[in-house]
Amino acid sequence: MKLQTDVAKRAEGEFIVYLTGSLDSETYQDFEKRALEALPLKLSSVILDLRLLDYISSMGVRALVNVWRKIEERQGFLMMVNVPEPIQEVFRIIKMLPSTPMFTDVAEADRYFAEIQRQVKEKKH
């Protein structure tokens, strides 16, 4: 199955990347290229919505790690939402993305970020 990658801007520096289909040896290069071209050099957060991702191969995981590193180089923060159970199991088995938060949906991710920002503000006062 082909992979569809859609990038939506939420706010200044905040993006959601939606993946639909299969992230594998046939689609990983296109995903990396599309995601990195769509994301600006300066960003704050990227939400990777995997709700419609049917399959991920080792090359797909490698592509995710490459995108994750580029986001960090750009001073951004990556989190994943709506990760299907089979994909979560792959991440658990290979232990390649242990520091990437996974949330059940965007609302949960937003609450997490709101709490982080609240804590930072409290430390400043």
Side-chain angles (χ1 to χ4, degrees):
M1 178 180 213
K2 287 204 146 243
L3 179 73
Q4 181 176 336
T5 304
D6 296 304
V7 179
K9 185 175 181 178
R10 292 184 71 206
E12 193 59 41
E14 296 180 12
F15 298 85
I16 299 181
V17 178
Y18 299 93
L19 297 182
T20 303
S22 182
L23 183 52
D24 56 31
S25 59
E26 294 180 19
T27 61
Y28 79 96
Q29 289 176 319
D30 186 54
F31 160 69
E32 276 188 67
K33 183 177 185 243
R34 172 104 169 85
L36 294 174
E37 285 177 353
L39 297 171
L41 294 178
K42 184 169 168 119
L43 50 82
S44 60
S45 67
V46 176
I47 296 173
L48 195 58
D49 190 323
L50 304 181
R51 174 181 326 155
L52 300 175
L53 187 64
D54 299 323
Y55 174 80
I56 190 165
S57 72
S58 60
M59 293 306 290
V61 171
R62 182 176 154 262
L64 279 179
V65 170
N66 288 343
V67 169
W68 173 39
R69 287 181 181 145
K70 291 292 186 186
I71 289 168
E72 286 185 335
E73 286 173 12
R74 296 174 183 186
Q75 307 302 308
F77 180 79
L78 174 73
M79 64 187 137
M80 293 185 281
V81 299
N82 301 315
V83 182
E85 186 58 38
I87 307 292
Q88 285 184 35
E89 186 62 22
V90 168
F91 292 154
R92 277 193 288 272
I93 289 169
I94 61 174
K95 298 178 183 174
M96 285 194 70
L97 303 171
S99 65
T100 303
M102 286 193 255
F103 301 97
T104 55
D105 56 28
V106 174
E108 182 183 29
D110 285 342
R111 287 190 298 274
Y112 173 81
F113 270 123
E115 179 60 21
I116 294 289
Q117 292 174 52
R118 184 190 64 74
Q119 291 174 10
V120 169
K121 286 180 184 176
E122 284 181 1
K123 286 182 183 178
K124 288 185 177 183
H125 296 290

